[in-house]
Amino acid sequence: MDLRAERGNITTVDVDVIVNAANPGLLGGGGVDGAIHRAGGPAILEECRAIAAGLPERRLARGRAVATTAGRLPARWVVHTAGPIWAATEDRSAVLRSCYTESLRVADDLGAHSVAFPAISAGVYGWPIDHAARQAVAGVRAAAVQHVQEVRFVLFDDRALAAFEAALSG
Ligand code: APR
């Protein structure tokens, strides 16, 4: 797998799978979640609602991932994952790594060759960006895939880009 970091808006990236930093309720939100639903259109939310209805307590467990249509986005699918909320008193790193490993497993099962990730949990969920970047790279590298050849970390600001470039070179 080829891993790279780039500055950009993930809703414009032409890949097979765009990963969404969702919440367990899968009903949309702000940040990248809001951007994906706004750009992708209502078909994404319709499928999210149907999936949520079939989940225990209608919620996606943090660290797990599910796929929907990408609607009007250039991608074929959106893989939604719910990241852990940062806690200084509890190490939730394994859950954050799982967001990446599980999202790649779901994408690979779909036959995807290229996947774009945002910096999961590094916004509203408060994860320090350098720590989040290291977990992201470790989670991707831990994935066993047959089809995925390209992973792109699409970062919304220069600080995040620098953190991911450092994590990739480490
Ligand atoms: N493209 C790429 N990255 C983006 C975009 C975008 N269009 N918009 C925001 N980001 C970046 C943010 O700058 C941050 O680095 O995505 C990263 C993740 O931030 P959030 O979107 O806030 O996601 P997260 O921290 O995982 O919090 C998830 O926020 O929006 C709600 O419903 C969502 O409850 C969930 C929570």
Side-chain angles (χ1 to χ4, degrees):
M1 272 190 298
D2 173 60
L3 278 62
R4 73 187 63 186
E6 65 193 63
R7 176 83 195 267
N9 177 337
I10 201 166
T11 63
T12 67
V13 173
D14 188 7
V15 288
D16 293 332
V17 164
I18 288 174
V19 177
N20 181 25
N23 60 60
L26 292 179
L27 296 180
V32 73
D33 196 5
I36 286 173
H37 282 284
R38 265 193 310 281
I44 300 176
L45 187 57
E46 278 162 33
E47 288 195 15
C48 282
R49 281 209 177 93
I51 290 170
L55 293 173
E57 296 175 24
R58 306 173 73 89
R59 291 168 68 77
L60 177 67
R62 293 185 188 274
R64 302 302 299 272
V66 291
T68 67
T69 177
R72 296 195 295 263
L73 291 170
R76 291 181 61 188
W77 299 280
V78 174
V79 169
H80 306 262
T81 189
I85 298 169
W86 167 254
T89 54
E90 183 186 341
D91 180 4
R92 296 172 174 170
S93 306
V95 179
L96 185 50
R97 290 194 296 275
S98 172
C99 288
Y100 290 88
T101 310
E102 280 294 294
S103 293
L104 276 177
R105 182 183 61 74
V106 170
D108 200 57
D109 288 349
L110 290 166
H113 295 125
S114 54
V115 179
F117 283 100
I120 297 166
S121 288
V124 163
Y125 281 168
W127 213 278
I129 189 66
D130 295 311
H131 192 336
R134 287 194 299 275
Q135 304 314 314
V137 172
V140 165
R141 285 178 174 155
V145 294
Q146 268 85 35
H147 307 289
V148 176
Q149 292 146 356
E150 181 190 7
V151 170
R152 295 163 66 173
F153 296 109
V154 181
L155 291 323
F156 214 41
D157 58 63
D158 289 335
R159 178 84 184 78
L161 176 62
F164 273 75
E165 285 173 338
L168 284 168
S169 62

